[in-house]
Amino acid sequence: MTDASLVQDILQGDAAAERRLYDLHVDRVFRLAYRMTGDDALAQDATQDTFIRAFDKLGEWRGDGPLGGWLHRVATTVILGHLRKRKRVQSREAQVEDVTVMAGARVDGDPLLRRSIDLAVDELDDNHRLVFVMHDMEGYTHREIADAMGTPVGTAKARLSRARSRLRELLLGTGPMPLPEPE
Amino acid sequence: MSDREFDELVDAMRENHNKPPQTPRDRMWERIEAARSERKIVRMPARPWYASTWVRAGLSAAAVLVLGIAIGRMTTTPDAPPMVADSGSTPPTVAVPTGEPAPRSEATTLVRHAAQNLFGRADVLLTDLKISSCSDTKSRPVPAWAGGMLAQTRLLLDSPLCEDVETRALLLDLELVLARIAGLSNVDCTGDVNRIRRDLNDNATLDRLRLAAAGQGMV
C-alpha cells in the first residue's frame, strides 16, 4: 500500500488505516522521543501527541515526499516542544566541567564514564543533539534527517558534523565552545 | 582522542544513552484514541452558515444599508449643495464642504452609520490579514468574511455617500482589496497576501479606514 492510498483511506475515515499508519511508524517515533528525553512518560506523551497532531493535520501532507519524513517532522517539532517545556521547569543537573573523559578510557562497566557520556550528549543543544541521536544512535539517513528537520541534506550533514565536533570537545574537556545558531 | 576512540564512545552511547525500552504500542494507541474521541465529544456541533457572528453582523449591516440607500434615494433633493474634497489638503481622508453644510436627512445618517460599521469591520479584517499566516490553518485569512463585506461595499458605492470623492476613493480601494481577499486560494495564498499587504501600506488604506470608521472625513 502506498503512502498516498493510506492517507486517502484515513481521510475517508478508515480507522484500520489509522492503526496501520501508527503501527508502521510508532517504533521509530517512540525510540527517538525516548532517546531525546530519557524519560518513559515524556517519551510516551510526545509519541501520543505526535500521532494526534499528525492525524489532525494529515490533510496537509502534499505527497511530495515520504509520509514518514512528514510524520518525523511533526515528531521532531513535538519532541523539541516537550523538551523546551521540561527545561522551563527544571534546572540543569550538571555543569560542563563534569563531563570530561580521559582519552583512551574504556566505557565498559564504568558507571561514572557512562554518566559523563550522558551528560556530554545532554550538553548539546537540542537541534544538534537531535541530529546526532537520529544519525549515530538511531541510524537515520541524512535524507531522512533533512526531511524531518525541514532542511536541505547539506545542512543536516553540517549540523551532524558540528554536533560530533562539539561532543568530542566536551568529552575531552577542551572547554565549552558555543555552537553557532542552527540556520 | 582518535577517530577510533570516538567511534567506540559513540558505540557505547548507542548501547547506554537513553536506550529505549520496548514500545508500549497498545497502551499509547488506547490513549491516542481516547484523546481523539474525547475531543470529538466536546467539539461544538457545526453551526449553520447563517448563525455565524460575522454573517449575522454582515446581514444586519447590509439590511441597514439597503434601507438607508432606499430612503436616501427617495428623499434626495436635486438642489442640495454638493460636497467636494479640498484638493489642497494633504491628508487624503478629510473632505471639506464648499459651502454651508447640507442638512443631513435621517437616511444619510443611516447610510453613514452603516458605512462606519463596515469600515470598522474591514479594519478588523485587514488588521487580521497583516498577522495572518497562510501556512497555519488557525490564522489563515478567511475569504468568506471579505465576500460579505464586498457586497456591502458595492451597495455603498451606489449611495449618496459617494458624492464625497475621498469616501468614494476609499470605498473603491476597499472594494478592490476585499475582492482580492475573497478570491484567495485555500491552498497557498502567501504570495497574494504579501501583495495585498504591500498595497495596503502603499495606499494607507488602514489609516484611512480608521479615520472613516471614527466618522472623520465622511460627509
Side-chain angles (χ1 to χ4, degrees):
Chain A
M1 172 173 271
T2 63
D3 284 348
S5 59
L6 182 61
V7 169
Q8 197 177 359
D9 287 349
I10 293 172
L11 293 177
Q12 284 170 356
D14 183 346
E18 287 183 348
R19 178 68 201 228
R20 270 201 300 280
L21 183 145
Y22 173 80
D23 282 339
L24 275 172
H25 298 283
V26 67
D27 279 338
R28 290 189 100 195
V29 171
F30 176 73
R31 287 182 65 85
L32 182 60
Y34 195 94
R35 288 280 199 192
M36 288 297 290
T37 61
D39 180 317
D40 192 37
L42 199 56
Q44 287 189 35
D45 281 352
T47 307
Q48 287 157 205
D49 286 352
T50 296
F51 281 96
I52 290 170
R53 199 180 289 193
F55 286 134
D56 280 352
K57 293 176 171 256
L58 201 56
E60 293 176 15
W61 179 65
R62 293 180 185 170
D64 51 0
L67 183 59
W70 178 83
L71 185 72
H72 272 80
R73 193 180 296 193
V74 177
T76 53
T77 306
V78 170
I79 292 167
L80 293 176
H82 276 272
L83 286 171
R84 275 194 294 273
K85 262 188 233 166
R86 185 172 68 172
K87 272 185 188 159
R88 279 200 290 271
V89 294
Q90 280 184 345
S91 58
R92 282 199 174 279
E93 288 181 355
Q95 299 298 316
V96 178
E97 289 82 352
D98 295 336
V99 306
T100 306
V101 172
M102 295 298 290
R106 305 292 304 176
V107 179
D108 310 338
D110 185 341
L112 279 177
L113 197 52
R114 282 186 191 172
R115 179 72 181 143
S116 296
I117 290 171
D118 286 347
L119 290 173
V121 176
D122 289 344
E123 196 61 36
L124 294 174
D125 76 61
D126 287 343
N127 280 302
H128 286 86
R129 191 156 60 91
L130 182 64
V131 176
F132 176 78
V133 163
M134 288 179 93
H135 187 271
D136 282 357
M137 293 194 178
E138 289 297 309
Y140 286 71
T141 63
H142 290 297
R143 174 80 264 167
E144 286 175 320
I145 296 169
D147 284 345
M149 302 197 80
T151 61
V153 173
T155 306
K157 282 183 181 172
R159 220 174 259 183
L160 176 65
S161 168
R162 283 199 291 269
R164 298 185 106 208
S165 301
R166 173 71 176 140
L167 197 55
R168 204 183 278 237
E169 285 166 9
L170 285 166
L171 289 170
L172 283 172
T174 54
M177 285 177 55
L179 282 164
E181 282 300 308
E183 53 276 64
Chain B
M1 183 184 288
S2 69
D3 285 347
R4 192 182 55 77
E5 283 172 338
F6 183 73
D7 287 342
E8 274 179 16
L9 277 176
V10 170
D11 287 343
M13 287 177 202
R14 197 175 301 123
E15 285 305 308
N16 297 302
H17 181 75
N18 294 349
K19 192 172 183 186
Q22 183 85 14
T23 308
R25 284 181 174 224
D26 292 334
R27 195 189 321 155
M28 286 194 295
W29 179 250
E30 279 167 21
R31 290 197 199 131
I32 290 168
E33 282 197 312
R36 294 179 73 209
S37 60
E38 198 173 293
R39 282 195 318 179
K40 276 178 195 160
I41 291 167
V42 298
R43 193 173 290 159
M44 294 294 286
R47 293 191 301 173
W49 65 271
Y50 52 81
S52 143
T53 310
W54 277 85
V55 172
R56 276 185 294 161
L59 287 174
S60 319
V64 170
L65 197 56
V66 170
L67 184 66
I69 290 169
I71 297 172
R73 282 187 174 168
M74 284 187 287
T75 56
T76 305
T77 51
D79 53 345
M83 310 295 251
V84 294
D86 178 4
S87 57
S89 61
T90 38
T93 50
V94 181
V96 180
T98 51
E100 289 294 310
R104 285 180 177 151
S105 69
E106 280 184 24
T108 311
T109 310
L110 214 53
V111 176
R112 219 159 40 82
H113 283 315
Q116 279 174 293
N117 177 293
L118 172 71
F119 292 151
R121 286 185 299 121
D123 175 13
V124 174
L125 179 76
L126 298 184
T127 305
D128 185 59
L129 186 82
K130 280 192 156 187
I131 54 169
S132 62
S133 163
C134 290
S135 54
D136 182 0
T137 46
K138 286 179 185 164
S139 65
R140 190 175 283 171
V142 185
W145 295 351
M149 286 185 220
L150 183 60
Q152 292 160 39
T153 307
R154 285 174 176 158
L155 277 170
L156 279 172
L157 276 167
D158 200 24
S159 76
L161 217 57
C162 282
E163 286 168 10
D164 171 49
V165 288
E166 292 302 342
T167 306
R168 182 175 170 74
L170 176 59
L171 282 167
L172 284 170
D173 280 356
L174 185 59
E175 182 194 24
L176 188 62
V177 170
L178 291 174
R180 289 165 72 186
I181 297 173
L184 283 177
S185 159
N186 275 329
V187 181
D188 182 17
C189 59
T190 309
D192 290 333
V193 166
N194 286 339
R195 280 187 286 277
I196 295 172
R197 285 177 184 151
R198 200 173 50 235
D199 290 349
L200 285 175
N201 281 338
D202 290 349
N203 298 329
T205 313
L206 261 176
D207 294 340
R208 292 158 63 204
L209 267 178
R210 283 168 188 162
L211 278 175
Q216 297 173 45
M218 276 210 303
V219 187

